[in-house]
Amino acid sequence: EAGGPHKVRIADIEALTREGETLAVVVTRPEFAQLGEQLEASRRWLVRARTALSKEDPLTLQELDALLDEADDLPVETEEAATLGCRAWVMRAAAAVSQTVSRKTLGNLCEASWTGPDWEGAMETRTAILAKRYKSDTWTARAKKLMADKGGINECKVLLEELEELGCETEEQNLIEYQLEKAQDWQDKAAALMAEDADTDSKALKALLRESD
């Protein structure tokens, strides 16, 4: 995936280590002393990653994340880490398609990009998550327009029902729910006021009408 700290290949570290062994003087800088430790840690991780990927049963998301967290602390990039990252993405994206997630989560998933057979094989999931994001973007645009136009209570309810069916959470949803609650409260107060007396105080009516503005 694009971004993140700069990483090198294990082969590059091995070559640099071999070069250091041929020097006629002893290098004492801490960075060089740590190079061998990082190389060994990377090799140990690579063995465990390959073993995990070779298992017949697929890795759980928790297992994938554990290996990826360790890889983040290593200075090397490997095909194994990319494969693990892609598989974790596929699992998260598949869950996001079928579950309720935030619009931000959808955006983060859609911005990810991987290479390799696992990514190519995830075309259906990739298409589904992109479609869900598009629908959430379309819904958000409609919600903003509805609020700007001061839409009716029924329109707001329909829009919220659509969002629930889509399985997405947005900031606009909270705003519509708040405004809908206020509108419903106003309606209840208006009904109660009109039911009290046919000759309801005009001041009370005017105050109520000001609330609706």
Side-chain angles (χ1 to χ4, degrees):
E1 187 179 6
H6 175 69
K7 301 220 174 192
V8 298
R9 298 176 306 161
I10 286 182
D12 294 330
I13 298 181
E14 290 175 334
L16 190 60
T17 301
R18 287 194 298 271
E19 183 180 342
E21 292 172 350
T22 64
L23 296 175
V25 295
V26 177
V27 179
T28 58
R29 289 189 61 180
E31 293 87 344
F32 295 151
Q34 294 170 2
L35 197 59
E37 297 176 4
Q38 292 177 333
L39 179 58
E40 286 306 311
S42 298
R43 285 171 173 165
R44 289 194 298 270
W45 180 89
L46 192 56
V47 169
R48 288 188 288 108
R50 288 173 176 172
T51 300
L53 288 170
S54 66
K55 289 182 179 179
E56 185 175 346
D57 295 330
L59 296 171
T60 65
L61 185 56
Q62 184 177 4
E63 291 172 327
L64 288 170
D65 283 342
L67 284 167
L68 289 169
D69 285 344
E70 291 183 49
D72 285 341
D73 295 331
L74 298 174
V76 300
E77 62 179 11
T78 65
E79 292 182 3
E80 288 76 10
T83 298
L84 291 168
C86 181
R87 291 186 184 182
W89 180 92
V90 171
M91 294 182 72
R92 284 193 167 86
V97 169
S98 60
Q99 299 173 5
T100 298
V101 295
S102 69
R103 189 161 171 254
K104 180 179 180 181
T105 296
L106 285 177
N108 290 340
L109 286 168
C110 290
E111 289 170 6
S113 179
W114 303 90
T115 58
D118 286 279
W119 183 248
E120 297 301 324
M123 181 60 70
E124 184 176 347
T125 300
R126 289 160 58 190
T127 301
I129 199 68
L130 286 170
K132 186 168 183 176
R133 184 191 186 184
Y134 173 77
K135 290 178 181 178
S136 73
D137 289 346
T138 301
W139 184 94
T140 299
R142 290 171 54 211
K144 288 180 177 179
K145 186 177 186 306
L146 181 67
M147 297 306 295
D149 295 344
K150 291 190 175 182
I153 289 179
N154 288 337
E155 291 177 289
C156 290
K157 288 181 176 179
V158 169
L159 206 57
L160 289 174
E161 289 172 359
E162 290 180 13
L163 186 64
E164 183 178 2
E165 184 177 349
L166 175 60
C168 187
E169 297 173 343
T170 72
E171 294 179 2
E172 291 74 17
Q173 171 191 4
N174 297 330
L175 180 58
I176 290 178
E177 288 175 341
Y178 172 72
Q179 295 296 342
L180 192 58
E181 184 179 347
K182 286 181 63 178
Q184 191 65 59
D185 181 59
W186 184 90
Q187 278 193 333
D188 292 342
K189 287 193 291 185
L193 188 63
M194 297 304 294
E196 287 179 2
D197 194 333
D199 299 322
T200 303
D201 190 332
S202 62
K203 289 184 179 180
L205 283 174
K206 288 178 180 179
L208 198 58
L209 288 172
R210 281 195 297 272
E211 281 188 46
S212 67
D213 290 338

